[in-house]
Amino acid sequence: SFPFTPSPLSPIYTENEKKQAQEEEEIQQERSCKGYSLGETVRHSSHMIAEPTYQQAIQAIGSLNKYEFAFVRRSDRSYSYAILSHRSIEPESMEECMVFVINKKGF
């Protein structure tokens, strides 16, 4: 007989899902800026890359890949360390949408 009954709320991961999660974590560690944690406010402006022109900034943003890190501007005008978790194009407007995560809870 089975030694325990899993809770319907506890996730059961396949070996492939575990492997994918480990690979994603390794990618995050490779691409991360050492010394910063998700959501942490930038300590010095030299830690960020600021492109000199609007066009170069757009080009740099366009080159960001999923799971790469960036400092994102918050509503209080500060910059927080975040990871790009999702990119998509809105079909009706053709506008690009980028979702950044700024803490370990996924917000």
Side-chain angles (χ1 to χ4, degrees):
S1 76
F2 201 69
F4 69 96
T5 304
S7 162
L9 299 177
S10 56
I12 299 174
Y13 298 104
T14 66
E15 286 302 313
N16 282 343
E17 290 171 327
K18 287 180 189 177
K19 184 178 178 183
Q20 183 180 1
Q22 287 174 329
E23 289 172 355
E24 289 173 2
E25 187 171 332
E26 289 172 9
I27 290 169
Q28 289 176 17
Q29 289 174 354
E30 288 173 12
R31 295 179 178 170
S32 69
C33 182
K34 303 297 183 215
Y36 279 97
S37 299
L38 285 178
E40 190 174 348
T41 303
V42 68
R43 294 186 291 270
H44 193 273
S45 61
S46 68
H47 296 173
M48 299 188 301
I49 299 171
E51 298 295 343
T53 69
Y54 177 78
Q55 284 299 337
Q56 288 173 318
I58 294 298
Q59 199 170 22
I61 292 166
S63 72
L64 278 175
N65 294 310
K66 191 173 179 180
Y67 305 125
E68 287 188 324
F69 292 88
F71 286 100
V72 295
R73 189 170 182 181
R74 308 293 301 276
S75 59
D76 66 358
R77 303 179 66 96
S78 67
Y79 289 86
S80 294
Y81 192 62
I83 185 170
L84 179 60
S85 65
H86 181 75
R87 292 180 83 141
S88 65
I89 302 288
E90 295 299 318
E92 292 176 18
S93 64
M94 295 304 293
E95 289 183 332
E96 184 168 21
C97 177
M98 300 172 80
V99 178
F100 288 89
V101 174
I102 59 166
N103 66 33
K104 290 186 179 188
K105 291 182 182 178
F107 302 116

